[in-house]
Amino acid sequence: MVGAGNISGQYLKTISRLDALELTAVADLDLSRAEAVATAHGAVTEDLDGLLGRADVDVVLNLTVPQAHAQVSSAAIRAGKGVYVEKPFAADVAAGREVLNQARRAQVVIGSAPDTVLGSGVQTARAALDAGRIGTPTSATATLIIPGHEAWHPNPDFYYQPGGGPLMDMGPYYLTALVTLLGPVQQVIGAASALRDERIIGSGPRTGERIPVTTPSHVTGALVHAGGAVSTVVMSFDGAATHAAPIEIQGTEGALAVPDPNHFDGTVSLARRGAPWQELPVSAGYRGASRGYGIADLLWSGAWDGDPRKGRSQGELGLHVLEVMEGLLASAESGRAVVMTTTVKRPEPVPLSSG
């Protein structure tokens, strides 16, 4: 594991309870933080080069800051290691494309968060779609409207700088779910704004400090999927709250309400034409999943047994989602539609409690 910050705790819980995974070494720029994690989990502390040189490291869990994702992933690939990287796949599409090409040339596995789509929430919705419960999908909405992270985060500066904002921060969960449910995106049209040029930190030792906003804090757009459906996305740090379903999918015969894609489970509701909403029983996905299941899924799918393209959380998916986000921001700036240059196979469904 490279990077032992806040998100690492969620991965560590999963690694500790899955027999398929074992933490062997930890690296972090903060040596004391790496040592604390390693000691608690029976691992050793290394610098990056030392970690990459270990024979007992099969895959590098890359939990560094987004600006370092491509650099660390590339180093791991050169060392012949598999990689699983936190979202976003890279800081930009050009860097991400190069990392993916390196992995394919080296024939090593590369996977990408978020793996929340492997849980019972999105997968139960996927099963309903695949069974034709709403007919042909025609459109979808994905909505995140919150006040912003400065209310609770003691150091929220990153969220209001390029590479941050609601789209790059939270968009991967929603867009990965939309691609999982409706397939790849061919074209995007975006609009964006930043209604305030500064934010006030609301907690921690910097309470009351003003920080600049240099990236859009409200992004909306339309995604044209290869299958014909059109998704509308709203990602905002400029609102108070919303009653909208995190994701709602309309079809010729019905509609689906999909739970928060930042979580692995949740209630899926179906409304058939002329009938009231009804809750669907859990019918697919990993029960009780948590962050890190994406790594295990690559193992269970056989990606480490000679075919690095197997698995559902592949780097191609992470790169495609990154291009969708980059395309929305580029479209918002230019006022023109942006055609995607990447695509991805719609990930295979996850049978109930498989693995």
Side-chain angles (χ1 to χ4, degrees):
M1 184 169 72
V2 181
N6 291 335
I7 192 65
S8 67
Q10 298 183 48
Y11 281 92
L12 289 166
K13 290 179 181 178
T14 301
I15 293 169
S16 297
R17 68 187 180 90
L18 289 182
D19 292 338
L21 305 177
E22 179 184 0
L23 183 67
T24 56
V26 182
D28 192 282
L29 291 176
D30 185 337
L31 180 60
S32 62
R33 189 162 63 180
E35 288 176 340
V37 170
T39 300
H41 294 270
V44 299
T45 305
E46 296 273 13
D47 62 14
L48 179 59
D49 288 340
L51 183 148
L52 296 179
R54 294 183 64 92
D56 59 353
V57 171
D58 298 312
V59 60
V60 173
L61 173 56
N62 184 354
L63 302 183
T64 58
V65 296
Q67 289 83 355
H69 282 180
Q71 178 183 354
V72 172
S73 294
S74 181
I77 292 166
R78 290 196 301 271
K81 309 297 185 183
V83 179
Y84 185 87
V85 60
E86 245 302 318
K87 55 85 181 169
F89 185 66
D92 57 69
V93 170
R97 197 189 304 273
E98 177 57 28
V99 167
L100 186 61
N101 288 338
Q102 288 174 355
R104 293 307 172 227
R105 288 194 297 267
Q107 285 293 291
V108 300
V109 176
I110 185 163
S112 177
D115 53 4
T116 46
V117 294
L118 305 179
S120 59
V122 170
Q123 290 297 321
T124 293
R126 165 73 181 268
L129 281 174
D130 290 352
R133 301 288 297 276
I134 67 168
T136 301
T138 56
S139 65
T141 56
T143 308
L144 170 84
I145 300 176
I146 58 177
H149 294 340
E150 73 277 8
W152 57 269
H153 199 294
N155 295 293
D157 309 64
F158 165 77
Y159 296 108
Y160 298 100
Q161 298 170 1
L167 181 63
M168 287 295 186
D169 177 44
M170 298 300 294
Y173 299 106
Y174 292 78
L175 296 174
T176 302
L178 287 174
V179 172
T180 296
L181 294 166
L182 299 174
V185 176
Q186 290 183 324
Q187 177 177 282
V188 302
I189 304 168
S193 63
L195 300 183
R196 286 172 277 173
D197 59 9
E198 64 180 17
R199 299 278 177 141
I200 301 174
I201 299 176
S203 66
R206 299 172 62 196
T207 296
E209 182 180 334
R210 296 175 182 271
I211 59 174
V213 176
T214 57
T215 197
S217 51
H218 180 100
V219 181
T220 187
L223 318 178
V224 181
H225 293 267
V230 177
S231 296
T232 303
V233 177
V234 178
M235 299 282 116
S236 182
F237 287 165
D238 285 339
T242 179
H243 268 305
I247 296 177
E248 192 170 278
I249 301 174
Q250 301 292 330
T252 54
E253 301 298 329
L256 280 171
V258 184
D260 186 345
N262 190 20
H263 301 293
F264 286 83
D265 53 14
T267 300
V268 178
S269 297
L270 168 71
R272 294 278 295 174
R273 184 191 294 268
W277 287 95
Q278 59 174 314
E279 181 178 333
L280 295 182
V282 172
S283 61
Y286 293 118
R287 284 186 182 271
S290 52
R291 280 171 172 78
Y293 262 70
I295 311 170
D297 180 75
L298 291 170
L299 174 64
W300 293 328
S301 67
W304 265 282
D305 294 331
D307 188 352
R309 294 180 182 271
K310 288 185 176 179
R312 302 174 180 90
S313 298
Q314 279 294 340
E316 283 91 350
L317 178 57
L319 180 63
H320 183 61
V321 167
L322 178 60
E323 189 184 26
V324 171
M325 295 190 295
E326 199 171 276
L328 284 169
L329 293 174
S331 175
E333 185 173 350
S334 69
R336 299 176 180 174
V338 174
V339 176
M340 299 294 95
T341 63
T342 64
T343 190
V344 65
K345 181 182 177 182
R346 188 178 179 223
E348 294 293 323
V350 181
L352 183 61
S353 294
S354 66

